[in-house]
Amino acid sequence: MTYCVGMRLDTGLIFMSDTRTNAGVDNISTVKKMHTWAVPGERVIVIMTAGNLATTQSVISLLDERSKAPEERKPSILEAPSMFQVAREVGRTLKEVIGANATTGMEADGAFGATMIIGGQIKGSEPRLFLVYPEGNFIEASDDTPFFQIGEAKYGKPIIVRAHDPAMRFEDAVKLLMVSFDSTIKSNLSVGLPLDYVTYTGDSLAITHEERIEADDPYFQMVSNGWGEALKVAFDQLPEFKFD
Amino acid sequence: MTYCVGMRLDTGLIFMSDTRTNAGVDNISTVKKMHTWAVPGERVIVIMTAGNLATTQSVISLLDERSKAPEERKPSILEAPSMFQVAREVGRTLKEVIGANATTGMEADGAFGATMIIGGQIKGSEPRLFLVYPEGNFIEASDDTPFFQIGEAKYGKPIIVRAHDPAMRFEDAVKLLMVSFDSTIKSNLSVGLPLDYVTYTGDSLAITHEERIEADDPYFQMVSNGWGEALKVAFDQLPEFKFD
């Protein structure tokens, strides 16, 4: 499985993904699911992937080749005039790859399916965040829906719903996502460390931080252990229940 | 959907279930999923159900009829010599009902599937807690696995994993389950109030509390509102993250 979160903040965008891929529980590997393209001063694009690994790697490779080979450059996500067009191009490529592998064209629920979160900014417009479906269509984050999750989303959702605040600093957002990932990792073996994260400060048109949190990261360990204690304290602070 | 939790405590057993049933999002009703049988001083049996409503109602009716009609009384869960035999009988009935409806016999993942949590005590043995699968087989709770969830289990699991303590009082267990249900209700429309709960004090051989938490229950509202605040406080108490 996979767990990825992309989130809008007043200051910009933040992305976090795990790195575990598995075919059954007896065949696990570490694979990067966070991909970035940047033309400093002009555009920053971040894509996170969930789903069939052959599909997602193929899509990323196609996008990447088109961004490098001048003669096959169009349509390239590095030349798209807007983040909307980037999302369209990613959706089109995703649909094409799934269609090429599926026996009878695109199958949304089939084994070849994949979902992607795309975020970034192109000079002259706002930072934007999209969720691309296996069918190739997509939705955009808004003030009402400020974050997207893909993969194993349920375990880690309640804490984001409760603690997300668009005014939060990147530091607090990293902490929040670590708590959300820790809850997921504790409940689903197919989501695992290390974690990758990227922060993007709006209008900077360059990636602000791009880091990997390793399995032995002392801060992550502290959050993981401390959160259990903090939850117990929070729980005890709730008013006592009494039977009638 | 549905959300039910059955939990072992040092003092006995606790059960909580929601009451929402739905066929699509445009057809919802309230249905009791918590069923109790008690022969005071002799046995207490609690069953919670998740899955196809026709299946679960049919199983409960069959079990109930057998416990009432003297001439068709065997095998009755009120005469089974142990909770293990009660679980066997429930599993057999469940398999039979699913088999009668499915086109080609039992289909675990089919539309007729259902899962059940069974707990209780029969005089002379310990309180026991089981999870019955649609195939009719079942597993038992233990010190390592002290609770079972059925239905929409993921949103509400992290808080139970973190805060469950076998030594906790029933009052704290009700509070914990309310928090778990609240997280689930906030994330999945197909789980809804009112909630039913039953507590059973070990060796009492009578139901201790059997109550319904209505949608306007002031304590539940307080937990629901207070938990968001408590989580934020807990989150703030975690050590600050700093970028390198």
Side-chain angles (χ1 to χ4, degrees), chain A residues 66-81:
Chain A
R66 284 181 203 153
S67 74
K68 282 173 186 158
E71 65 277 12
E72 289 181 22
R73 208 163 175 171
K74 293 177 204 281
S76 160
I77 54 172
L78 293 189
E79 295 199 335

Side-chain angles (χ1 to χ4, degrees), chain A residues 152 154-155 162 169 171-172 175-176 182 197 209 219 222 224 231-232 235 238-241 243, chain B residues 152 154-155 162 169 171-172 175-176 182 197 209 219 224 231-232 235 238-241 243:
Chain A
E152 177 57 282
K154 293 186 177 183
Y155 295 114
R162 297 286 200 169
R169 302 175 308 142
E171 286 85 349
D172 292 329
K175 189 167 90 168
L176 172 58
D182 180 56
Y197 70 86
H209 296 96
Y219 182 77
M222 192 159 60
S224 179
L231 271 187
K232 278 181 206 158
F235 180 69
L238 283 179
E240 291 278 299
F241 175 77
F243 292 108
Chain B
E152 179 56 282
K154 293 186 178 184
Y155 296 114
R162 298 284 199 169
R169 304 173 309 142
E171 286 85 348
D172 292 327
K175 189 168 90 168
L176 173 58
D182 180 56
Y197 70 86
H209 296 96
Y219 182 76
S224 179
L231 270 187
K232 278 180 205 157
F235 180 70
L238 283 179
E240 291 278 301
F241 175 77
F243 292 107

Side-chain angles (χ1 to χ4, degrees), chain A residues 173-184:
Chain A
V174 171
K175 189 167 90 168
L176 172 58
L177 293 184
M178 280 192 189
V179 171
S180 176
F181 273 74
D182 180 56
S183 294
T184 309

Side-chain angles (χ1 to χ4, degrees), chain B residues 93-208:
Chain B
T93 309
L94 177 58
K95 188 177 171 177
E96 178 190 310
V97 170
I98 293 175
N101 289 312
T103 43
T104 53
M106 184 274 302
E107 289 180 2
D109 293 316
F112 301 114
T115 313
M116 301 192 172
I117 292 174
I118 304 177
Q121 185 174 20
I122 291 174
K123 198 176 178 181
S125 55
E126 296 293 299
R128 295 174 76 174
L129 183 66
F130 297 92
L131 174 67
V132 183
Y133 295 107
E135 290 83 352
N137 58 352
F138 50 89
I139 56 173
E140 182 171 6
S142 64
D143 290 345
D144 291 324
T145 311
F147 66 91
F148 289 131
Q149 301 168 289
I150 54 177
E152 179 56 282
K154 293 186 178 184
Y155 296 114
K157 188 175 184 188
I159 181 63
I160 302 183
V161 169
R162 298 284 199 169
H164 173 268
D165 175 357
M168 73 199 312
R169 304 173 309 142
F170 278 138
E171 286 85 348
D172 292 327
V174 171
K175 189 168 90 168
L176 173 58
L177 292 185
M178 281 192 190
V179 171
S180 176
F181 273 74
D182 180 56
S183 293
T184 309
I185 288 167
K186 280 208 162 45
S187 293
N188 188 328
L189 278 179
S190 69
V191 177
L193 290 155
L195 309 178
D196 291 318
Y197 70 86
V198 164
T199 65
Y200 171 71
T201 307
D203 299 329
S204 68
L205 296 167
I207 285 167
T208 313

